[in-house]
Amino acid sequence: MHISECTEVMKIVNAAAQEFFYSIPMRPCSRNDKVFIVVDVAPDDVAARQAIRSTWAQDDGVVMLFVVGLGSYEVVKRVALENARHHDIVQTNIPRFHPHASILKSIVAMHLTLTCHGPNFFMKVTPDVCVNTRRLLLHLRTMSNHKLLYGRRVDDYLAPFAYGITFDLVPFFYSMSLKMHVWNGELPEMYITERLASLVAPKKYDIHEFVDVADTDVLPGRDEFAVARMSSSGAVARRCVNLRKSVGGRRTASPRHAARRSKKSRGKKASV
């Protein structure tokens, strides 16, 4: 990449870091949250976002946000309306088809986590994954929360569908990303988990329970996966539910369902 192109990329990063959302996330991080998960998704992929909301995003111990790029005027309006309902979308001003869009969105997400003081782990996933949060949190409890990268290792970098870093590395990675240029055609996982990581030499934890089942009908069974990559958002919605049932994933009730249960409980007490 030429110096002028690199400068332009940094301008986009800085602008996106300062003007990256329509509204504040639905709830702040707390000490009960263990992992901050960012989903890199296209602005017009409503189905993928809804599939995740209806499955693993409801679990305890997870802060989840979608990070989207800049779409057409109509798409931006629809994203704003969607976010007004769910409060879980970070709308960046990074063009959707920018050659380094995924890297830039990851950097913006890191910038966002700097205000989050609960979780010890930051994680980036693609929209075609099912997260078994119970198994994931079990892994995180056994891992160091200092200078660590984790995911499925591929040579010297981590597989792109799911990887993470400990929170102590986030400020360093973010600050260094504003100085280190991006090579033409460089993959986000290589830039972040190999080149940026080489500057601090953290440990890399290879989690074999991060599995890719997109090209096979063989599904992981009970307690055999922490993150599973599916073939599409439809597969996430359909198969993730069944997988979660098999591993006993615990769901957090929505406010509406919680209110209904509370009302039923009061009714039962009154009738006794």
Side-chain angles (χ1 to χ4, degrees):
M1 176 182 290
H2 298 297
I3 293 179
S4 60
E5 293 177 310
C6 184
T7 302
E8 187 62 28
V9 168
M10 290 304 102
K11 285 181 181 178
I12 293 175
V13 170
N14 287 324
Q18 294 172 20
E19 303 174 3
F20 52 78
F21 58 79
Y22 283 122
S23 63
I24 298 173
M26 181 172 60
R27 62 186 178 90
C29 301
S30 72
R31 292 186 178 182
N32 295 325
D33 296 320
K34 305 302 180 185
V35 57
F36 190 112
I37 301 181
V38 169
V39 185
D40 181 359
V41 60
D44 56 354
D45 198 348
V46 181
R49 292 192 288 274
Q50 197 53 43
I52 291 171
R53 290 187 187 110
S54 65
T55 54
W56 60 265
Q58 301 184 42
D59 291 342
D60 293 332
V62 172
V63 179
M64 190 282 303
L65 286 176
F66 299 105
V67 179
V68 305
L70 190 63
S72 67
Y73 177 71
E74 290 299 321
V75 169
V76 168
K77 285 203 304 183
R78 288 198 295 268
V79 169
L81 291 173
E82 181 185 350
N83 194 39
R85 292 193 300 271
H86 300 286
H87 306 286
D88 58 3
I89 302 175
V90 177
Q91 171 76 68
T92 73
N93 61 3
I94 300 167
R96 177 179 178 182
F97 297 107
H98 190 282
H100 307 300
S102 185
I103 293 176
L104 297 177
K105 284 190 284 184
S106 298
I107 294 169
V108 169
M110 289 183 190
H111 178 275
L112 181 66
T113 65
L114 297 179
T115 62
C116 186
H117 303 294
N120 290 321
F121 298 92
F122 167 85
M123 187 169 168
K124 184 215 176 225
V125 303
T126 52
D128 53 356
V129 303
C130 174
V131 178
N132 174 15
T133 55
R134 187 173 67 86
R135 290 296 296 175
L136 176 63
L137 294 177
L138 283 175
H139 275 290
L140 298 184
R141 289 193 192 104
T142 65
M143 291 158 41
S144 168
N145 59 6
H146 180 65
K147 287 187 178 181
L148 180 74
L149 274 77
Y150 60 97
R152 193 61 187 266
R153 189 161 183 168
V154 181
D155 296 327
D156 290 328
Y157 62 93
L158 300 177
F161 65 88
Y163 59 84
I165 62 177
T166 49
F167 249 52
D168 62 319
L169 290 177
V170 170
F172 175 81
F173 273 38
Y174 173 71
S175 61
M176 291 309 299
S177 69
L178 301 180
K179 303 173 185 177
M180 178 180 283
H181 70 273
V182 182
W183 294 335
N184 282 328
E186 186 168 24
L187 298 175
E189 59 272 17
M190 290 183 173
Y191 176 77
I192 294 171
T193 68
E194 183 175 3
R195 285 218 292 137
L196 283 182
S198 68
L199 300 176
V200 67
K203 294 181 179 179
K204 292 184 180 179
Y205 191 87
D206 187 9
I207 303 181
H208 290 282
E209 289 185 9
F210 281 35
V211 297
D212 188 342
V213 296
D215 299 322
T216 177
D217 292 329
V218 180
L219 298 178
R222 181 179 178 85
D223 288 348
E224 291 182 355
F225 82 102
V227 178
R229 177 175 173 260
M230 304 297 180
S231 57
S232 65
S233 59
V236 172
R238 183 176 63 257
R239 300 165 77 180
C240 188
V241 171
N242 294 329
L243 288 172
R244 284 161 48 79
K245 286 179 180 177
S246 73
V247 298
R250 187 159 64 94
R251 294 173 61 141
T252 303
S254 67
R256 181 182 298 177
H257 290 169
R260 287 177 180 172
R261 283 207 299 265
S262 178
K263 187 176 181 179
K264 287 181 180 180
S265 177
R266 288 197 300 270
K268 288 180 180 179
K269 289 181 180 179
S271 64
V272 171

